[in-house]
Structure formats: C-alpha cells, structure tokens
Amino acid sequence: LSKKNVLVQDLYSLENLAHVDVLCLDKTGTLTQGKMEVEQAIVLVPEAKDAFEKLMGSFLAHTQDNNATFQAIRSYFASSDAFTPTHQIPFSSDRKWSAMTFEGVGTFLLGAPERLCTGTLPEEVQKGLQEGKRVLLVGLTKESVSKDQPLPELNLLAAIIIIDPIREHAADTISYFQEEGVSVKLISGDNPLTVSEVAKEAGIVNAEEYVDATTLQTDEDIANAIAKYTVFGRVTPGQKRQFVQALKDQGKTVAMTGDGVNDVLALKDADCSVAMASGSDAACQAAQVVLLESNFACMP
C-alpha cells in the first residue's frame, strides 16, 4: 500500500475494510476534486449591482472564514474597504450561513439558499442546483440577526454559482464497490438536489433517492432514513456520526471517507476510516488510512 501512496495508521483496519458492506462518502474533496471555482455571480437586483460588489468586497476583506468555499469566492471577487463592519457571525456547518453587520447599511448574509430564502427559490438558483452545482445566496437586512434565532426576511441581492468537478476515476471506483456488493451512501452538507445530481454523475445506484437531513429529528428518523435513502444533503457533523452509528446498529460494517473537520466524528466511529491527505490535519489524524495523493482510485 505504501507503494501506492497509501498510509496505513492502524493495520487492523485493513481486515475491517475487507468486511465492509456499506461505504459512506463525503462529497466535497472526496468524490469531487475539492477545487472549487466560482462559475458566475448572478445579481438578482440589477440596480443593486454596485452595492452588492462593495458589500461582498468588504465582507471578504474582514471575514475570518477561510474554508474551500470562501477561498473560491475570494479568488473571484475583489476585496474592498468601502464599508466597516461592527459585528460578525462566522460560518457554521449547523447554521449554513455567515453574517456581517455594516454601520448604516445593515447585515449582509452569505449562505445556503434554503436558509436565506423562506419562499420559492429564484429560478437561477433552482437551475444551478439541478445541474449539480453548489449555490450560495447573498442577502441584506436592516433587522437584527442572531445566530440563535431564525433569520428575518432578507432582501436577496445575488446568487453565487460554484463548480467542483468529480474526481477523474470516481465513477470507476464506485462501480467496483457496487459490483462487490458494497452499498454506497453519499453524505454532504450541500443541498440534497445538488448532491443527488453529483451522485448520478458518479454512477451511484439509486442516486435519485435523496433526503434533506434537516427533516430528520430523532434517532428513529435517522435509522429509517439511512436504511431507505442513498443520498443525504444538509447533513450536520453530528448527523454524519449518527448515520455511521445507525448503520453499525443495523449490523453493517461501515467505511467512512472524508477530508474535513466536519467528518472527524464520523471517521472516529466507522469500522474503517479513510481520509484524503489534501484535507484537514484533524481528519488525517483521526483516520486509520490516509490516501497521501488524495486519489480516490486507490480505494479498490
């Protein structure tokens, strides 16, 4: 395995891997390349184009968020000192949004479409999701925003469309596992429709069977869903761990792959855990097997 640039941190895990009958995959950075790029920014209110660009630039100049999504956004938009923030709420995997308040302007929010928009999503957003792309919405409000309270109604300014291609040999690798009788589950914090489209592209069986994890409230909901569905969107780090535990309770031997801090809990509970070296140090340290070239094709 070392000749194939695979680091084995716990030898006994290889025996577990031989018995695995369910493979849980994280989407971003595992099934996809993790090289996110902003494809386009669609301004939803044409007359607010200048204000949006200044707000976006000021937000990026002062935010402390620095995950792969934010890095892609930074490389697309120019930073600006047009506005000075008085308060900010960092991004969280549970909330799926971040916010920054600018004096005399209001609170600027960036996040998941279904969290920022309470009504019907704009047509441009729906189209992006149906094409398997990651879509973020940008909104503005004069009302106060708290991380512990539901968001007020926002004036939506723009939609940001982000692409992240699947890995070159991902479909072949998934095909191998499925032919060996291993069930593949795709678990992600992204919109479930986006995740389903990526699953279809990768050739995952029953990719159209997807569920929004925000609707799963109890342990029983989790157990029933993981048995029935293949694709899971809007999953929190804690829920990833619950999915792994529910599968083990159902007598399955579970492998979990991931690359981010949000995968660590699930990696630690899986029978065999596999991390991509290009991901976070925490994921690599928690995993039993590390793919040093982050090459998913090494899995078979």
Side-chain angles (χ1 to χ4, degrees), residues 9-189:
Q9 306 200 108
D10 286 313
L11 258 179
Y12 72 86
S13 65
L14 296 183
E15 189 173 337
N16 286 343
L17 188 55
H19 294 284
V20 161
D21 49 14
V22 180
L23 173 62
C24 293
L25 293 174
D26 173 54
K27 181 181 77 72
T28 306
T30 305
L31 191 61
T32 66
Q33 296 175 16
K35 297 174 182 173
M36 294 189 202
E37 291 178 17
V38 174
E39 183 180 62
Q40 61 175 324
I42 303 167
V43 178
L44 302 172
V45 186
E47 59 271 23
K49 185 173 186 294
D50 288 345
F52 160 67
E53 289 177 354
K54 286 178 182 175
L55 283 165
M56 192 76 217
S58 301
F59 175 84
L60 292 172
H62 296 98
T63 183
Q64 292 159 10
D65 294 319
N66 196 34
N67 58 28
T69 305
F70 279 90
Q71 287 167 15
I73 294 171
R74 282 180 199 281
S75 64
Y76 186 85
F77 294 98
S79 287
S80 165
D81 287 324
F83 301 105
T84 304
T86 56
H87 177 66
Q88 61 177 296
I89 299 172
F91 178 81
S92 131
S93 297
D94 289 329
R95 284 195 310 274
K96 308 288 185 198
W97 55 263
S98 56
M100 191 173 290
T101 304
F102 297 106
E103 194 170 356
V105 179
T107 301
F108 178 90
L109 291 100
L110 172 71
E114 64 273 19
R115 297 293 171 91
L116 268 60
C117 177
T118 51
T120 305
L121 291 173
E123 193 177 320
E124 298 90 341
V125 172
Q126 293 186 18
K127 183 172 181 288
L129 295 174
Q130 286 163 0
E131 290 173 353
K133 296 170 183 174
R134 174 175 287 195
V135 183
L136 297 176
L137 274 180
V138 173
L140 189 66
T141 179
K142 297 276 189 183
E143 297 180 46
S144 63
V145 172
S146 165
K147 59 184 174 184
D148 303 320
Q149 299 295 325
L151 290 175
E153 188 148 342
L154 307 177
N155 295 315
L156 299 178
L157 299 179
I160 299 171
I161 313 293
I162 298 174
I163 55 173
D164 184 10
I166 71 167
R167 291 184 182 274
E168 187 182 350
H169 300 292
D172 293 338
T173 306
I174 284 167
S175 174
Y176 166 83
F177 278 109
Q178 290 177 161
E179 285 168 9
E180 293 291 316
V182 177
S183 298
V184 178
K185 309 276 186 183
L186 189 57
I187 299 171
S188 174

Side-chain angles (χ1 to χ4, degrees), residues 165-281:
I166 71 167
R167 291 184 182 274
E168 187 182 350
H169 300 292
D172 293 338
T173 306
I174 284 167
S175 174
Y176 166 83
F177 278 109
Q178 290 177 161
E179 285 168 9
E180 293 291 316
V182 177
S183 298
V184 178
K185 309 276 186 183
L186 189 57
I187 299 171
S188 174
D190 279 357
N191 182 284
L193 182 55
T194 299
V195 187
S196 175
E197 290 302 315
V198 171
K200 287 176 189 173
E201 192 180 345
I204 294 176
V205 174
N206 298 325
E208 66 284 351
E209 298 284 338
Y210 64 85
V211 66
D212 184 333
T214 58
T215 63
L216 309 176
Q217 302 297 326
T218 66
D219 290 344
E220 187 180 357
D221 290 343
I222 295 259
N224 291 336
I226 199 68
K228 179 181 178 183
Y229 295 100
T230 299
V231 173
F232 300 83
R234 296 299 176 220
V235 181
T236 65
Q239 283 178 320
K240 288 188 180 185
R241 182 184 207 171
Q242 287 176 290
F243 285 143
V244 169
Q245 200 57 59
L247 285 166
K248 290 171 72 174
D249 290 345
Q250 291 166 17
K252 305 293 186 184
T253 303
V254 185
M256 173 77 197
T257 69
D259 74 329
V261 173
N262 59 340
D263 300 317
V264 168
L265 295 174
L267 287 168
K268 287 178 77 70
D269 276 16
D271 293 300
C272 183
S273 51
V274 182
M276 305 289 158
S278 60
S280 72
D281 290 343

